[in-house]
Amino acid sequence: MVQSCSITKHIPEGEHLYTGATLSIESDSTITNESLLKDELEKVLMPEPNSSFLGMHLGLHYYYKMQKEHPGFINRWLYKKYGEEPIYQSDVEPSEVRDLILNRLENRGFFYSSADSEITEEDYKSSVHYTARIAPPYTMERYELDSFSDPIHAEIAKSLNSTPFKKGMRFDLSNFELERSRIDAELKQKGYYNFNSQFLIFEADTNRYKNKRFDLYLRLKKEVPQKAQVPYKITKVNIYSNYDLAKDSLASNPTRFNNKNFIETEPFFKPKYLDPFVTLEEGQLYNPQNSRNTARRLSTIGSYKYVNIQYKEVDTLANDSIGHLQADIYLSPLNKRSLRTELQAVSKSNNFAGPALAITYTNRNIFSGGETFSISGKLGFEKQIASGNSNSLNSTELGIKSELVVPRMLFPIKFDNNYFKYSIPKTKTSLSIDYLSRSNLYALLSGNVKFGYTWDANKFVTHEINPVTVNYTQLLNTTPEFEQILDENPYLQESFDQEFISGLMYSFTYNGMVNAKDKHQFYFNATFDIAGNSISLFGKDQGTNQPKTFLGLAYAQYAKLDLDFHYHLDLGKQQVIATRLFGGYGLAYGNSNVLPFVKQYYAGGPYSVRAFRIRSLGPGTFSEETDNDDTYIDQAGNIRLEANIEYRFPIISFLKGAVFVDAGNIWNSKENETLPGGKFSSSFINELGMGAGIGARIDIQGFVVRFDLAAPFHDPSLPEGKRYDFRIDEPIFNFAIGYPF
């Protein structure tokens, strides 16, 4: 009420604040899709009134505050962010709006309709009500093609066989525009390079009928150039594989391969490897879809920063029934070699912090076939910052990783180039070795080899399959203290004993979030990981109750499935409600009783339930009874469920905010005596860890630095009856890169 009064006193004498308009429809006949028609008419009810929230016009409030002689810094900022100039009744022109309503009705076949308006004034406000009296619409009786010259007449006639236009269809200009665009797109795919949808015109004839029916004729406009009425075929394809705009990259002798000209100033990319990415062929009719496919496939190689396809009309003595085009493909390479050095400051939720150094060398197009080779090394040192004896804990990490990405499928059976129409699969091979030394506990040596393929089936779907995944881990230099921990925790002991993991992994991803403008955006990923089945054929018995070995190493046997679903609701003005559901289950069988340590689930942390520290949530209702930070408790399981919801909104410029709620936990499918309460049961809903918090994000062109502050309000580790307690005075701070989901 106070805010309304502060606005009222600023409204000029004789003026009324415009609060908006309403519209009603009157008709003597039934209107098909009346609600859609009303929505279309309401779009012309201009101007838009000032925004309000719970009856308060905050934007106006900040505007009037700015009119003061000294508004102050805060008022200036609020006005710049939210202020609005007032919209008065004198700013509204009802006659212009009525004309727009009639125009929209005529565009949709409701000729001879009428529109009225009525202004209502009350106190300091006013509004307008419009009434549209709609006459019966004109409907189509026949749809015919006028005579064109060949060959375009025959092609358009074929296109009309698939037209959505039907007898009885209402006159509608927007449908006519869609029909022109549909025909133009079909003609383009058949070689009509110079054709344009604007060359087509519709004419409606009502002279033959007296009951609001019409015949529709499709005609070609006058003076349409002859070259727009003939198809074009590609007579030459030139590929400049190392084009440099700053240099003369055109003058060179071409290499002829598979009916294409490969032009290089120096040896760069072998034609036999580049050719499959080009879907343009000599003798092929022009088709813009082929151009888009070629550009997309070439851009996925990883060696080029720019892909530019240009067409040039070729003068020819051929008859006028077909034209000729030359296709020039200009490919601008990235720098072949790069060296990246990173100096990192690492801080973890388990109170370990320290510096890390990473160096990566990359060679793009290493074997002149678009191959990308990279090798990186990492050195890190962390020390636990805590009170008591924990000050002596530290860890050192050494690692090296190499990766080779080949932009084609290395497989014994050769696939046809058209088998993967959208993109050509990439073959990825990687090898990594890591050494981790945790003082007073253990050292861990691990190695990983991976070989597989990844490809995009379409704009949204990505497949990844790794038929070869091998992991090797070995505990070294274990201390008596850690040996005692293993003795007291058989599950942990067995997860470390599985030194050899060999299996297969498949991942399916649907990413509808590539359409950033969609109001509803979906993401789904399913990953299936299975290990040990083929190795078990060669396993060697080691005695009763002992795991089998392969090459002297105990191997793991398990199956694991992860399902990850995201849904984003775009509210407009950079406001988003983001949700996520995750479910994962791992089954150990055969040679294993538990999942390997590196394959187990954990909960808590900046990408999980943010009100709990990393690995501090679960399993189930497990509660760590000791306060001694030196005790090594591995809170992991083979089942994980999680749900998140987050409201994201802009604050100012690149700074964005969030309010979120997380819920989740992990469980074991079998009882673990060292982790009591961790077995999955039908009451799992009551065992979810829940928390809420706020966050800030620095988002600079997609690079996001995230800060989240969260507190638990349901802690399953507490006794029943005490779990619901919003411990806002004990928040957890999370720092991360990128959005959590």
Side-chain angles (χ1 to χ4, degrees):
M1 182 174 61
V2 172
Q3 192 265 352
S4 297
C5 292
S6 66
I7 290 176
T8 304
K9 66 183 181 182
H10 291 289
I11 296 177
E13 186 177 353
E15 286 284 11
H16 292 79
L17 186 67
Y18 177 65
T19 59
T22 55
L23 173 74
S24 61
I25 291 178
E26 296 179 2
S27 176
D28 295 331
S29 59
T30 302
I31 301 175
T32 304
N33 295 326
E34 180 177 334
S35 60
L36 296 179
L37 177 63
K38 186 176 181 181
D39 290 342
E40 184 66 25
L41 296 180
E42 287 178 341
K43 293 179 181 178
V44 305
L45 302 184
M46 300 183 297
E48 287 284 339
N50 292 110
S51 60
S52 63
F53 176 72
L54 299 178
M56 298 182 295
H57 297 276
L58 297 177
L60 279 179
H61 178 74
Y62 301 136
Y63 171 82
Y64 290 129
K65 284 282 189 181
M66 273 295 293
Q67 309 310 307
K68 293 183 177 181
E69 184 176 354
H70 300 291
F73 169 77
I74 295 178
N75 284 327
R76 282 197 297 269
W77 182 84
L78 290 172
Y79 169 72
K80 184 178 180 180
K81 188 68 178 178
Y82 304 106
E84 299 176 349
E85 293 189 13
I87 305 296
Y88 299 123
Q89 181 61 51
S90 60
D91 297 318
V92 183
E93 297 291 345
S95 61
E96 293 182 3
V97 175
R98 294 196 301 267
D99 290 342
L100 288 173
I101 291 174
L102 294 178
N103 175 264
R104 296 297 187 274
L105 290 172
E106 290 177 356
N107 288 346
R108 280 148 186 79
F110 299 99
F111 295 95
Y112 307 112
S113 298
S114 62
D116 295 329
S117 60
E118 180 181 359
I119 299 175
T120 301
E121 297 179 350
E122 182 178 354
D123 296 331
Y124 65 93
K125 299 179 180 179
S126 70
S127 61
V128 183
H129 179 75
Y130 296 92
T131 302
R133 296 179 176 86
I134 301 179
Y138 278 76
T139 58
M140 188 179 72
E141 184 68 19
R142 293 187 303 170
Y143 177 32
E144 296 182 355
L145 177 64
D146 206 347
S147 59
F148 292 16
S149 61
D150 280 331
I152 196 172
H153 180 274
E155 296 296 346
I156 296 180
K158 292 178 183 178
S159 177
L160 260 59
N161 293 331
S162 57
T163 180
F165 286 7
K166 305 296 180 184
K167 180 180 178 179
M169 182 192 76
R170 191 178 72 205
F171 181 97
D172 194 321
L173 286 184
S174 61
N175 286 339
F176 297 163
E177 184 61 36
L178 291 174
E179 176 72 351
R180 291 201 308 178
S181 298
R182 183 189 69 83
I183 294 173
D184 175 55
E186 291 194 9
L187 289 175
K188 286 288 198 306
Q189 294 177 10
K190 296 177 180 179
Y192 287 83
Y193 174 73
N194 284 310
F195 194 79
N196 190 297
S197 63
Q198 302 300 318
F199 294 156
L200 296 171
I201 187 172
F202 287 100
E203 292 184 359
D205 183 5
T206 62
N207 292 328
R208 298 179 58 185
Y209 310 103
K210 295 183 179 180
N211 55 349
K212 292 195 172 185
R213 291 183 294 164
F214 65 93
D215 291 335
L216 186 66
Y217 297 93
L218 177 62
R219 295 189 171 123
L220 199 64
K221 290 182 179 179
K222 296 180 180 179
E223 300 180 356
V224 173
Q226 180 62 26
K227 65 180 183 178
Q229 302 181 48
V230 297
Y232 280 73
K233 72 176 182 180
I234 300 172
T235 58
K236 184 183 292 186
V237 178
N238 297 326
I239 304 172
Y240 299 89
S241 61
N242 62 338
Y243 179 71
D244 188 346
L245 184 62
K247 300 178 181 179
D248 184 9
S249 302
L250 303 181
S252 179
N253 295 325
T255 299
R256 189 75 174 166
F257 181 83
N258 197 18
N259 297 321
K260 301 179 186 70
N261 299 318
F262 292 83
I263 303 171
E264 299 178 320
T265 55
E266 58 185 25
F268 182 75
F269 208 120
K270 295 177 181 178
K272 67 176 181 178
Y273 293 142
L274 189 59
D275 176 68
F277 292 89
V278 180
T279 60
L280 303 179
E281 303 284 348
E282 292 184 1
Q284 180 185 75
L285 286 176
Y286 166 79
N287 187 335
Q289 185 62 45
N290 287 335
S291 293
R292 288 191 289 269
N293 289 343
T294 296
R296 183 187 61 253
R297 289 158 73 107
L298 289 169
S299 63
T300 62
I301 293 176
S303 298
Y304 294 108
K305 57 182 175 180
Y306 300 119
V307 177
N308 185 13
I309 301 177
Q310 298 181 6
Y311 290 94
K312 183 189 301 182
E313 294 184 48
V314 179
D315 293 333
T316 176
L317 299 177
N319 57 49
D320 294 334
S321 63
I322 195 166
H324 292 173
L325 290 175
Q326 174 180 304
D328 294 318
I329 304 175
Y330 301 102
L331 306 176
S332 301
L334 291 161
N335 291 332
K336 185 174 181 179
R337 300 175 183 85
S338 65
L339 184 66
R340 184 179 71 233
T341 302
E342 299 178 28
L343 181 60
Q344 305 168 354
V346 181
S347 177
K348 298 181 179 179
S349 296
N350 58 3
N351 293 325
F352 273 86
L357 176 66
I359 301 176
T360 302
Y361 167 79
T362 302
N363 188 317
R364 304 175 183 89
N365 198 33
I366 186 172
F367 302 123
S368 300
E371 306 88 354
T372 300
F373 172 76
S374 63
I375 183 168
S376 60
K378 181 178 181 180
L379 170 63
F381 176 81
E382 299 173 1
K383 186 175 179 63
Q384 193 171 49
I385 304 172
S387 59
N389 295 330
S390 297
N391 283 323
S392 62
L393 292 179
N394 60 71
S395 67
T396 303
E397 182 180 3
L398 298 172
I400 185 170
K401 179 180 180 180
S402 64
E403 184 178 62
L404 177 65
V405 180
V406 180
R408 54 191 170 275
M409 195 168 188
L410 302 181
F411 197 74
I413 301 175
K414 185 177 181 180
F415 289 88
D416 185 85
N417 290 339
N418 292 325
Y419 186 82
F420 298 98
K421 293 184 178 180
Y422 189 81
S423 68
I424 295 177
K426 291 184 177 181
T427 303
K428 293 185 176 181
T429 305
S430 64
L431 170 65
S432 64
I433 300 175
D434 291 283
Y435 174 82
L436 174 66
S437 175
R438 182 67 61 84
S439 67
N440 299 327
L441 289 174
Y442 61 87
L444 186 67
L445 179 66
S446 61
N448 176 274
V449 177
K450 185 182 294 184
F451 175 84
Y453 311 97
T454 180
W455 71 96
D456 296 327
N458 53 49
K459 181 180 179 181
F460 305 104
V461 175
T462 299
H463 299 276
E464 182 178 358
I465 182 168
N466 295 306
V468 178
T469 58
V470 179
N471 289 272
Y472 168 79
T473 59
Q474 183 177 2
L475 274 175
L476 304 170
N477 303 328
T478 55
T479 63
E481 292 82 0
F482 189 69
E483 292 288 350
Q484 182 179 353
I485 293 172
L486 293 180
D487 291 339
E488 295 173 354
N489 191 336
Y491 271 59
L492 184 61
Q493 166 101 43
E494 192 164 355
S495 67
F496 272 110
D497 284 345
Q498 300 175 85
E499 298 177 337
F500 189 71
I501 305 173
S502 176
L504 176 146
M505 187 276 290
Y506 169 73
S507 175
F508 169 88
T509 302
Y510 173 85
N511 186 9
M513 296 183 182
V514 295
N515 287 342
K517 295 183 180 180
D518 287 356
K519 183 174 182 179
H520 305 280
Q521 301 173 16
F522 299 90
Y523 171 92
F524 174 73
N525 173 262
T527 300
F528 180 66
D529 185 3
I530 187 169
N533 288 356
S534 58
I535 295 297
S536 64
L537 300 175
F538 309 97
K540 184 177 180 180
D541 286 326
Q542 298 297 315
T544 306
N545 297 327
Q546 294 296 319
K548 295 180 180 180
T549 61
F550 176 75
L551 299 178
L553 301 173
Y555 61 88
Q557 200 167 6
Y558 66 88
K560 188 167 176 253
L561 177 65
D562 293 346
L563 301 175
D564 193 6
F565 175 78
H566 303 182
Y567 168 67
H568 289 187
L569 175 61
D570 189 346
L571 302 177
K573 297 182 179 179
Q574 301 183 51
Q575 300 178 86
V576 175
I577 294 179
T579 63
R580 179 197 185 209
L581 288 173
F582 179 89
Y585 178 75
L587 173 65
Y589 61 93
N591 205 47
S592 301
N593 293 320
V594 297
L595 289 179
F597 179 77
V598 296
K599 297 294 182 178
Q600 294 180 5
Y601 297 109
Y602 66 88
Y607 299 96
S608 180
V609 184
R610 286 163 279 186
F612 297 83
R613 296 186 183 276
I614 293 177
R615 294 182 178 267
S616 69
L617 177 58
T621 61
F622 169 74
S623 176
E624 187 177 359
E625 298 178 354
T626 177
D627 293 328
N628 186 353
D629 292 334
D630 289 340
T631 302
Y632 188 93
I633 297 295
D634 185 65
Q635 294 177 234
N638 67 308
I639 301 173
R640 179 185 170 194
L641 294 174
E642 195 165 296
N644 315 79
I645 184 169
E646 183 169 288
Y647 169 58
R648 300 168 182 169
F649 54 90
I651 298 178
I652 181 174
S653 185
F654 53 80
L655 181 61
K656 305 182 188 307
V659 178
F660 56 85
V661 177
D662 302 323
N665 207 336
I666 55 171
W667 294 267
N668 285 305
S669 54
K670 299 179 181 178
E671 190 65 62
N672 182 351
E673 295 180 357
T674 59
L675 299 172
K679 185 179 180 181
F680 187 82
S681 66
S682 58
S683 61
F684 70 94
I685 292 293
N686 298 322
E687 299 175 0
L688 294 175
M690 304 179 191
I694 58 175
R697 291 93 165 87
I698 300 174
D699 188 343
I700 303 176
Q701 297 182 351
F703 179 78
V704 178
V705 179
R706 176 164 55 94
F707 306 93
D708 289 328
L709 195 65
F713 62 83
H714 184 265
D715 189 345
S717 67
L718 299 175
E720 290 190 54
K722 297 183 179 181
R723 293 176 182 174
Y724 281 101
D725 180 15
F726 195 10
R727 303 200 300 271
I728 197 170
D729 57 332
E730 301 177 19
I732 301 296
F733 176 73
N734 294 272
F735 169 76
I737 303 297
Y739 288 105
F741 49 88

